[in-house]
Amino acid sequence: MSAIKGARERARTEITAAIKDEARAQLAAEGASRLSLRAVARELGMVSSALYRYFPSRDELLTALIIDAYDAIGEAAEKAVRDATASQDGSSVTASPDGSSATAWTAVACAVRKWALAHPHEYALIHGSPVPGYVAPQDTVGPASRVGMALIGLIREAHRGECLATPPLSAALRPEAVRMAAELAPDLPPANAAALVIAWAQLFGLVSFEVFGQFNGVVVDRETLFRQAADGLAHSVGLTVPGELSEG
């Protein structure tokens, strides 16, 4: 019985993957708003009733694709942190005045950009125009937070290592900054929490400008522009770029 069950689970996993792959192909060709379970079933040679056993509705299939996209870009960000903060012997290092957290921040930003450019239609699904009639369920919140949590982790490490600068914070914004810090990262100063939210929005704004073509005819060397912008965002949240302390 266990062998039969295992074979059935493998078959279900393979069919689920095939359904998602065809749905992604439809996203690229038609856009999320025109995703159709019937069309997916037809392309896979399945009857619609069979596909409904895997995804009972279009929205459930969309949710699965959205979660996969958030997890993929989140994994890219988390891997960038691991790679950027790994010492030669494979152990992790914490933030220090040499700018390791700032370097890791830029590595995360570049990983997000690289993933988005390689998967523009999946990026558009999670950071493009909302799909008419679709309301994302709570299941998407955790995956959607992975990039943000990776960035918060870098700031937290710098704060623990006492090498986090305090960004400027206006009196008008302070109450909202206090609220955001309490909700997002209670162990961080409100000024840094507010700066993080601003930088997070600017990061995805830069990526979206490139993915959706707003830089066409304006920026040629987009990678260099992006790296300088990412370094600037690291500075804006209080992370020290390499060499900055020694120069001061």
Side-chain angles (χ1 to χ4, degrees):
M1 288 296 293
S2 60
I4 294 174
K5 182 179 179 181
R8 287 175 176 170
E9 289 177 349
R10 286 194 299 273
R12 184 174 184 84
T13 298
E14 291 172 1
I15 294 172
T16 298
I19 292 170
K20 289 180 179 179
D21 286 344
E22 178 55 36
R24 292 187 187 100
Q26 282 198 22
L27 290 179
E30 303 287 344
S33 63
R34 300 188 65 180
L35 181 63
S36 163
L37 291 184
R38 290 182 180 275
V40 171
R42 182 172 60 251
E43 291 297 323
L44 293 176
M46 300 173 63
V47 296
S48 298
S49 58
L51 190 146
Y52 292 145
R53 290 199 292 269
Y54 295 85
F55 296 99
S57 69
R58 181 210 68 162
D59 283 5
E60 290 199 27
L61 178 54
L62 271 175
T63 295
L65 297 177
I66 287 168
I67 289 174
D68 284 354
Y70 275 133
D71 278 336
I73 197 171
E75 173 56 31
E78 292 161 2
K79 183 178 185 300
V81 173
R82 293 193 298 269
D83 291 346
T85 60
S87 61
Q88 290 185 348
D89 63 2
S91 62
S92 61
V93 294
T94 57
S96 62
D98 67 358
S100 58
S101 284
T103 300
W105 172 286
T106 298
V108 169
C110 289
V112 167
R113 172 181 178 268
K114 182 179 179 180
W115 185 91
L117 292 175
H119 306 88
H121 302 292
E122 292 169 69
Y123 180 85
L125 182 62
I126 56 177
H127 290 294
S129 300
V131 180
Y134 175 78
V135 178
Q138 190 69 21
D139 293 352
T140 63
V141 174
S145 69
R146 289 179 66 172
V147 172
M149 293 305 297
L151 296 175
I152 288 174
L154 295 175
I155 297 176
R156 183 173 284 127
E157 286 297 327
H159 185 49
R160 290 171 180 165
E162 298 184 350
C163 52
L164 183 68
T166 302
L169 178 64
S170 69
L173 184 57
R174 177 166 292 280
E176 177 62 13
V178 170
R179 187 201 64 78
M180 288 191 291
E183 183 173 328
L184 299 174
D187 54 333
L188 293 181
N192 296 93
L196 171 64
V197 172
I198 293 168
W200 169 68
Q202 290 174 329
L203 167 61
F204 280 98
L206 284 163
V207 173
S208 294
F209 256 55
E210 186 169 1
V211 171
F212 301 138
Q214 277 89 350
F215 282 151
N216 292 348
V218 179
V219 182
V220 176
D221 189 355
R222 297 169 188 171
E223 182 172 357
T224 301
L225 176 78
F226 183 86
R227 284 183 174 275
Q228 177 164 324
D231 287 344
L233 293 176
H235 185 275
S236 75
V237 300
L239 298 177
T240 304
V241 298
E244 188 171 61
L245 290 185
S246 61
E247 293 173 3

